[in-house]
Amino acid sequence: MTGPTARTRRMAALAAIAATTVAATTLSGGTAQAAPLPVPQDINGDGYGDIVVPAPGATVNGLDRAGAVVVLYGSAQGVSAAKRAVITQASPGVPGAAEAGDAFGASSAVADLDKDGFADVVIGSPYEKVGSAKAAGAATVLWGSKNGLVSGVALPTVVEPDGQAGRDVAAWSGPDGTQVLVVNNNTTTRLTGPFTRTGGAASSYLHDETGWMRSAAYGDVNGDKAADRVLVTGRMGGLSGGYAFVNSTNEAHPWAHRMQGGDGLTSVVGDVNGDGYGDLVLGDPDEPGTDDGLWGHTGGAVHVWFGSAKGVAYDKAPMIIHQDTAGVPGGGERYDAFGASVAVADLNRDGAAEIIVGTPGEAIGGKGNAGGVIVVPGRRTGQLGAGSYAFNQDTAGVPGAIEAGDQFGATVTAGDLNRDGRPDLVVGAAWENDQGAVWVLPGGASAPAYSSSASFGPAGLGLPWASGMLLGGDLQQ
């Protein structure tokens, strides 16, 4: 959560979007985190990872909050504003039409869905009107090619008023095939490939067993190189977040697949302890709830369930990390939002991946909601937290300056953008200069190379000024 100033601006942006599509009461039941900054992958086939940056509040042809995404293409020198593409529903080859309040780009995911060697991008626009159904939402796949993203098709989704399809999206491409998850308000549709460029999918499956839905992710928690699904519900009454489910189905009792001992809002899978199995990392940024014991922590927390040959143990309590954990900088303070965003990458290349944690509500130098990022090193055994370090806009070499309400760390991701074998960090500040911005911190020998960092704002990316653009931000925070 955030302080009064940031919260007021955030809710104003949400209300403006809702006003053009559906009554504001559609947000009842709570909103939650997504992961709108996907892990960089190679979209144009040049061998370098590319960044997909959200701007769901962008103005398009004078239409407020129609939404956009910006692709920053990687190269041997990393990324630059000179090699970019701004994509909206008014762009050639993109299905649909730009409309006020659609929030195109509110969620995105990257995977090679048609197995042609180019990564494709799935984009959610949760407030899009479909027929007479207001805020039914939509999901679009844009096909990668040597020319970038120049064509696409709408994916089949459940159509219902205020269904908000595309609240979150996830995509997977592995030896077991391709899959896409499209999250609606109360359901998630799983589409399985092979996918065709006309929008065809081999099959679809409706997950409606988990109730009020918010976000989704894919990973491999048992080492079989096949997709394991993570579904996270919206905020539940009395909890500090929502429930997480792994590989839930309608055929089995859903509680059999619910993770016990912790909750949260946004998830990622990565090998934190270096044993070859993906671990489930759940960000829980809200303040503690009143039910279910001690779930949650003042200022936010991160919950980790470790993978194994048998997957994750549903009935085991997770390892918990927060700013009162030994070795983690700072201290747990109300509304720091530790865990508002999470990513996993092996920054020091020791085989045990780091957990990158956004704290967009953190006060820096007395400036509320300035935000920061904390990196928690992976380790083979023992409690995570030792050796953690923090950075923000007051860190030497990081562009910009500390300002109240910026929410630096609202989104985080990591990937190799210049093919040097070192993961680069990408950090979004949802309300930088009232519009948002993105930072890219190149990977160093064992930590980010702050002195080589670069920042990208709307003007430099060719986006018209718009209050509440949320460039690099999360519409659902």
Side-chain angles (χ1 to χ4, degrees):
M1 296 178 69
T2 58
T5 301
R7 186 187 299 116
T8 299
R9 292 186 303 175
R10 181 189 70 199
M11 292 311 295
L14 285 171
I17 290 173
T20 60
T21 55
V22 67
T25 53
T26 64
L27 295 177
S28 63
T31 57
Q33 305 295 108
L37 265 178
V39 174
Q41 294 190 47
D42 186 5
I43 293 170
N44 59 357
D46 63 358
Y48 299 99
D50 308 313
I51 306 171
V52 178
V53 180
T59 297
V60 179
N61 296 335
L63 299 167
D64 290 345
R65 298 174 175 85
V69 297
V70 180
V71 180
L72 296 173
Y73 290 103
S75 71
Q77 293 74 43
V79 296
S80 72
K83 193 176 181 183
R84 72 178 191 274
V86 177
I87 299 171
T88 73
Q89 285 185 288
S91 300
V94 178
E99 298 170 310
D102 279 354
F104 179 83
S107 62
S108 56
V110 184
D112 183 4
L113 297 180
D114 58 355
K115 296 287 190 176
D116 65 351
F118 299 94
D120 310 306
V121 181
V122 182
I123 298 174
S125 46
Y127 290 96
E128 184 157 339
K129 181 180 179 181
V130 179
S132 62
K134 294 181 178 180
T140 300
V141 58
L142 302 179
W143 303 107
S145 73
K146 65 179 180 179
N147 296 317
L149 302 173
V150 295
S151 66
V153 67
L155 292 174
T157 59
V158 175
V159 176
E160 57 184 357
D162 192 35
Q164 295 178 27
R167 284 169 62 89
D168 197 25
V169 292
W172 169 272
S173 180
D176 61 327
T178 54
Q179 297 186 35
V180 171
L181 294 171
V182 180
V183 175
N184 281 54
N185 251 342
N186 295 305
T187 62
T188 296
T189 301
R190 173 165 44 112
L191 304 169
T192 58
F195 291 87
T196 67
R197 293 205 166 200
T198 58
S203 65
S204 65
Y205 183 96
L206 185 65
H207 289 273
D208 60 359
E209 69 278 5
T210 54
W212 167 254
M213 279 302 306
R214 184 54 218 122
S215 64
Y218 277 116
D220 178 8
V221 298
N222 60 3
D224 66 355
K225 302 186 184 304
D228 293 307
R229 299 178 307 281
V230 181
L231 302 179
V232 183
T233 71
R235 289 178 173 96
M236 294 291 189
L239 302 182
S240 58
Y243 292 120
F245 297 81
V246 177
N247 293 329
S248 63
T249 67
N250 292 324
E251 286 74 28
H253 193 288
W255 302 128
H257 297 272
R258 196 193 89 189
M259 305 310 300
Q260 303 295 313
D263 58 1
L265 297 173
T266 187
S267 62
V268 66
V269 175
D271 187 3
V272 174
N273 61 357
D275 65 355
Y277 301 104
D279 308 311
L280 172 59
V281 179
L282 195 64
D284 185 19
D286 282 3
E287 297 305 305
T290 57
D291 298 336
D292 288 283
L294 300 177
W295 291 10
H297 185 82
T298 299
V302 168
H303 299 142
V304 181
W305 288 268
F306 294 100
S308 70
K310 296 181 179 180
V312 288
Y314 298 102
D315 58 348
K316 272 194 175 182
M319 180 177 288
I320 302 175
I321 311 159
H322 43 66
Q323 285 185 279
D324 292 315
T325 299
V328 178
E333 301 169 314
R334 284 175 63 82
Y335 308 130
D336 280 349
F338 180 90
S341 56
V342 289
V344 175
D346 190 1
L347 302 183
N348 61 9
R349 295 171 296 164
D350 67 351
E354 279 65 57
I355 303 175
I356 302 110
V357 185
T359 60
E362 184 95 36
I364 309 291
K367 296 180 179 179
N369 302 294
V373 174
I374 293 176
V375 178
V376 180
R379 59 184 301 172
R380 304 285 174 172
T381 60
Q383 172 67 43
L384 296 166
S388 297
Y389 56 91
F391 64 88
N392 52 57
Q393 288 189 76
D394 201 32
T395 300
V398 176
I402 293 295
E403 297 172 311
D406 280 353
Q407 295 187 40
F408 184 84
T411 54
V412 293
T413 192
D416 189 356
L417 305 173
N418 58 3
R419 210 164 59 189
D420 66 353
R422 299 171 175 175
D424 308 299
L425 284 183
V426 186
V427 179
W431 287 95
E432 174 80 11
N433 297 325
D434 205 41
Q435 299 184 92
V438 171
W439 281 253
V440 178
L441 294 79
S446 60
Y450 302 118
S451 61
S452 299
S453 301
S455 63
F456 302 89
L461 298 178
L463 292 165
W465 192 94
S467 176
M469 180 185 300
L470 295 177
L471 176 66
D474 187 344
L475 179 66
Q476 306 301 332
Q477 280 186 8

